[in-house]
């Protein structure tokens, strides 16, 4: 029996389809959210930079008070990142759009931990400063962090 190249690929394609059709998908772990897990939907097009989300996050997580009050808008003059004292941060950007008076219109962007189902940050952390708790939250332990980012 002489098999052409085209015939070989037909046979191999049919064999592969047969093998995969009957098999179940392989999952290393279940990616289902806990029943009591919550989500947070943010419409950034409506954000006015009031920083109330920062304040609420700080209160819920019992974080220390910020260096500057949540009512102080000058904190938006510098870009910030979440850290061990602030889990949620709002930054102001000027993307280049102008209003009718010729003033730049700011855009506000909220940065926060997303509490992912399978957090890459926790699996990548070499010292275990980031870990996922049973309730679905990602926990940051500043005492273990070596600052490798």
């Amino acid at each position: 029996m002489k098999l052409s190249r085209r015939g070989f690929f037909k046979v191999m394609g049919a064999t592969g389809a047969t093998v995969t059709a009957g098999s179940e998908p392989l999952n290393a772990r279940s990616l289902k959210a806990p029943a009591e897990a919550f989500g947070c939907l943010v419409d950034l097009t409506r954000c006015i930079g009031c920083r109330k989300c920062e304040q609420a996050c700080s209160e819920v997580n019992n974080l220390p008070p910020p260096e500057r009050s949540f009512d102080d808008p000058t904190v938006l003059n510098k870009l910030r990142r979440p850290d061990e004292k602030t889990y949620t941060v709002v930054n102001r950007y000027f993307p280049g759009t102008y209003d009718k008076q010729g003033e730049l219109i700011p855009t506000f962007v909220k940065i926060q931990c997303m509490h992912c189902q399978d957090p890459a940050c926790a699996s990548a952390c070499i010292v275990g400063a980031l870990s996922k708790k049973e309730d679905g939250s990602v926990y940051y332990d500043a005492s273990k962090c070596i600052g490798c980012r």
Side-chain angles (χ1 to χ4, degrees):
M1 173 174 143
K2 185 158 176 138
L3 189 60
S4 69
R5 183 170 187 234
R6 177 175 282 209
F8 171 76
F9 283 118
K10 282 182 183 178
V11 170
M12 293 309 292
T15 304
T18 304
V19 169
T20 58
S23 65
E24 300 224 359
L26 299 175
N27 290 326
R29 61 189 160 276
S30 173
L31 295 178
K32 292 184 179 178
E36 62 279 352
F38 291 97
C40 179
L41 178 63
V42 179
D43 184 358
L44 291 177
T45 63
R46 300 183 59 100
C47 181
I48 59 171
C50 68
R51 299 181 58 215
K52 293 297 181 190
C53 56
E54 284 186 40
Q55 185 175 4
C57 178
S58 181
E59 289 172 5
V60 166
N61 291 298
N62 298 319
L63 299 174
E67 294 174 11
R68 294 192 213 165
S69 167
F70 289 111
D71 298 325
D72 184 3
T74 61
V75 75
L76 296 172
N77 294 338
K78 185 176 101 174
L79 294 180
R80 300 173 298 138
R81 297 284 306 159
D83 57 21
E84 71 275 3
K85 296 178 186 173
T86 53
Y87 295 165
T88 300
V89 174
V90 175
N91 285 318
R92 178 177 57 199
Y93 297 92
F94 293 98
T97 54
Y98 294 89
D99 62 9
K100 292 179 181 177
Q101 290 79 24
E103 299 286 325
L104 277 171
I105 300 173
T107 298
F108 299 96
V109 178
K110 176 182 175 183
I111 302 171
Q112 69 180 23
C113 174
M114 303 302 284
H115 301 291
C116 304
Q117 291 287 41
D118 188 16
C121 59
S123 62
C125 184
I126 59 175
V127 294
L130 293 161
S131 60
K132 183 160 177 127
K133 291 187 172 185
E134 288 183 17
D135 65 357
S137 64
V138 177
Y139 177 71
Y140 173 64
D141 186 354
S143 66
K144 292 181 180 180
C145 184
I146 59 173
C148 65
R149 297 218 173 236

